[in-house]
């Protein structure tokens, strides 16, 4: 299965992606996680990406598209993948389509997790993430078993540098201006499905599984 997750910052893309990836045995590829790893390792890509991410802006398409081209060439993507946070512009969507067509493939589904703006700030300011494996927690809605430690790998949990109130608001504005057009883009191609992301985490996952089972390849 070749799928992408759409939705605003804090919709629960990363949270759901971990469960989908386990259940359907497809790699979870998050451009945000790739950038954060590069930032923590101070690579040239990380240094460039940080300038944009800290302001809540998108990393330029050229850089982002090259990363995805490289990642999707890996052997583990031959039978499918789950993209979380890519594409984020119609231009990135077109690049993905062209890349898949080179191998005679196409996308199976674009899954939108719908969450209105008023829910988002609370989710972001209470979020704690593991920079090692990308797992995401919430101090109230989804706490780790041991405070400050990742359930999956035991590493320390931290707050993301871009989870401040001002940056979150900027990211939502950027989402509405640059990423929302992808909803119509995929709807026009009959690839769009949507779930209500305001439900409890396990309820959102159940809705997603229902949709994915019906299109499973
Ligand atoms: P990225 O890391 O992708 O951030 P994002 O899209 O803003 O989304 P988030 O990761 O913040 O939210 P999420 O939907 O994954 O929510 P989560 O599951 O963690 O990108 C970061 C930056 O990198 C971008 O701003 C941009 O600069 C750059 N970038 C990345 N990709 C790019 C691209 N393709 N092009 C250009 N630039 C790019 O959940 C959030 C919180 O809510 C957690 O605490 C969680 O526990 C909680 N939660 C989840 N679900 C629920 C629920 N159902 N009920 C209650 N709480 C919940
Ligand atoms: Mg995420
Ligand atoms: Zn971890």
């Amino acid at each position: 299965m070749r799928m992408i997750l759409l939705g605003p910052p804090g919709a629960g893309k990363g949270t759901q992606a971990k469960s989908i990836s386990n259940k359907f045995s497809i790699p979870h590829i998050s451009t945000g996680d790739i950038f954060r790893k590069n930032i923590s390792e101070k690579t040239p890509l990380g240094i460039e990406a940080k300038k944009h991410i800290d302001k809540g802006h998108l990393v330029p398409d050229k850089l982002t598209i090259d990363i995805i081209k490289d990642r999707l060439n890996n052997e583990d993507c031959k039978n499918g993948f789950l993209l979380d946070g890519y594409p984020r512009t119609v231009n990135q969507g077109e690049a993905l389509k062209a890349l898949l067509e080179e191998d005679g493939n196409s996308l199976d589904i674009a899954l939108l997790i719908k969450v209105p703006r008023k829910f988002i700030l609370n989710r972001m300011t209470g979020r704690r993430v593991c920079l090692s494996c990308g797992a995401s927690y919430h101090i109230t809605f989804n706490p780790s078993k041991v405070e400050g430690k990742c359930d999956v790998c035991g590493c320390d949990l931290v707050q993301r540098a871009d989870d401040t109130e001002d940056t979150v608001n900027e990211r939502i504005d950027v989402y509405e201006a640059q990423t929302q057009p992808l909803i119509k883009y995929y709807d026009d191609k009959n690839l769009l499905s949507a779930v209500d992301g305001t439900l409890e985490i396990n309820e959102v996952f159940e809705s997603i599984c229902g949709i994915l089972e019906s299109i499973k390849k």
Side-chain angles (χ1 to χ4, degrees):
M1 186 162 48
R2 295 178 177 85
M3 69 178 288
I4 65 163
L5 280 180
L6 289 173
K13 302 182 296 295
T15 302
Q16 298 298 334
K18 293 274 172 223
S19 305
I20 299 168
S21 164
N22 284 337
K23 180 164 172 139
F24 294 89
S25 304
I26 45 176
H28 166 208
I29 302 166
S30 154
T31 35
D33 286 350
I34 295 172
F35 290 135
R36 280 183 288 279
K37 185 158 190 296
N38 277 275
I39 291 171
S40 72
E41 291 169 357
K42 299 196 168 60
T43 67
L45 170 68
I47 291 165
E48 177 58 28
K50 189 175 181 340
K51 292 184 207 158
H52 307 278
I53 293 177
D54 282 356
K55 289 190 214 136
H57 298 160
L58 295 184
V59 177
D61 277 351
K62 171 81 178 77
L63 271 181
T64 312
I65 290 169
D66 282 349
I67 289 171
I68 284 298
K69 277 189 181 159
D70 193 52
R71 181 64 186 86
L72 291 186
N73 263 329
N74 276 24
E75 196 54 38
D76 65 341
C77 296
K78 290 288 172 262
N79 293 320
F81 53 76
L82 165 53
L83 288 176
D84 155 16
Y86 183 99
R88 260 177 147 96
T89 60
V90 171
N91 193 23
Q92 291 181 14
E94 288 287 332
L96 175 64
K97 183 164 176 282
L99 190 66
L100 294 176
E101 278 172 0
E102 278 174 22
D103 296 326
N105 292 324
S106 59
L107 204 64
D108 296 310
I109 181 168
L111 190 87
L112 170 66
I113 305 179
K114 281 166 78 170
V115 176
R117 196 173 184 128
K118 65 176 182 197
F119 286 82
I120 294 176
L121 193 60
N122 223 349
R123 287 192 182 187
M124 307 305 250
T125 47
R127 171 162 62 184
R128 299 292 180 272
V129 297
C130 172
L131 289 180
S132 178
C133 75
S136 176
Y137 302 86
H138 190 282
I139 48 174
T140 318
F141 307 136
N142 185 25
S144 57
K145 292 195 182 82
V146 178
E147 199 186 322
K149 298 283 177 197
C150 177
D151 290 351
V152 181
C153 70
C155 291
D156 288 342
L157 299 180
V158 296
Q159 259 191 296
R160 266 171 52 174
D162 60 347
D163 275 351
T164 60
E165 184 166 348
D166 283 350
T167 314
V168 169
N169 282 320
E170 181 63 27
R171 283 160 59 200
I172 302 172
D173 289 344
V174 167
Y175 171 79
E176 288 177 351
Q178 301 191 51
T179 307
Q180 259 180 355
L182 282 167
I183 296 174
K184 181 170 186 308
Y185 174 85
Y186 286 114
D187 199 20
D188 287 347
K189 297 183 184 322
N190 285 322
L191 288 173
L192 189 76
S193 291
V195 293
D196 177 358
T198 66
L199 303 173
E200 303 245 329
I201 292 174
N202 61 334
E203 295 174 319
V204 179
F205 185 55
E206 276 172 30
S207 324
I208 292 176
C209 289
I211 293 171
L212 296 184
E213 293 290 357
S214 71
I215 63 146
K216 200 167 154 190
K217 302 217 165 174

